[in-house]
Each structure stands twice: as structure tokens, then as C-alpha cells.
Amino acid sequence: MSAGIDWEALTEAATQVRQNAHAPYSNFKVGAAIQANGTIFVGCNVENASYPVGLCAERAALAAVIAAGKRKIEAVVITADRPITPCGMCRQALAEFNPEVPLLMISEQVEAQATLGQLLPDPFA
Ligand code: THU
């Protein structure tokens, strides 16, 4: 995939942060790592007793990127029990910063690749 992206470090970071997920309602832990301006930022899903309040791992990681003053989103790794594509809300959130960002979606054995543009063509901008 794309040059200048440390997929191995991103995978490790996403796998680590997934352990911190708060997912007592779905029992579905998700970890996400985003490389932005060469630095890795992480997020996990944070569920809530009031279900709609829950936050996805991807948007948690994105919030960390933006809070750190970064904007150049270069790559995203998402890990869960099985390879999952980001939900529609997370696709739109990521598209705000890079509608063509490459994504690696992994679980222990399986992985899948796509660009955000393949998953969300023609996002609202
Ligand atoms: N979830 C994510 O964190 N990212 C996704 O891309 C899809 C779903 C979370 C939300 C919820 O905490 C759990 O996975 C089950 O839907």
C-alpha cells in the first residue's frame, strides 16, 4: 500500500488500544490507529448505558488527532474480532480530512484493504 506509512506500528497501536475499549453492552471491542503528520494516534470504542451516547474507535482516534493540532490524515488501521469497515458516521468524519485515506481492516487472522473513497464515494463536504 502507500509509501511512508508504518502499517506495522499502526497495527500494533490499534491492537494495544483495543484492549482498553469499554464495550460491556456489545462485547465487541474495536481499536483504531491513525497516522497523521507522521505520528500515530489511537482510539477505542467507548460505550454507554444510554446506547446512542457510545463512541466508535475511529472517531475517538480522530478526536485525538485533531486535539493534537494535526490535520494530515495518512492512514487508518481498524481492528476487531473480525475485519470491519468503519460505520457511515465514521466514514463521513474521516472524509472531512482525507476522503481517499487508505484503510487496513484487520483481525487476528484476516485483513482487508480499501480506500475511504471506495467505501464512501462522493462524501458531503
Ligand atoms: N464500532 C466501532 O467502534 N467502530 C466501527 O467501525 C463499527 C462499530 C463499535 C460501536 C459499538 O461500541 C460496537 O462497535 C458494536 O457496534
Side-chain angles (χ1 to χ4, degrees), residues 22-23 26 28-30 44-47 54-58 78 84-87 90:
H22 178 68
S26 70
F28 192 77
K29 293 187 168 196
V30 184
C44 56
N45 52 335
V46 185
E47 295 185 350
L55 178 65
C56 289
E58 296 90 326
I78 305 159
I84 54 160
T85 54
C87 78
C90 289

Side-chain angles (χ1 to χ4, degrees), residues 43-78:
C44 56
N45 52 335
V46 185
E47 295 185 350
N48 190 275
S50 175
Y51 292 1
V53 175
L55 178 65
C56 289
E58 296 90 326
R59 275 174 295 131
L62 180 62
V65 169
I66 302 308
K70 312 295 184 194
R71 290 287 185 278
K72 193 170 176 283
I73 294 192
E74 294 151 341
V76 181
V77 170
I78 305 159

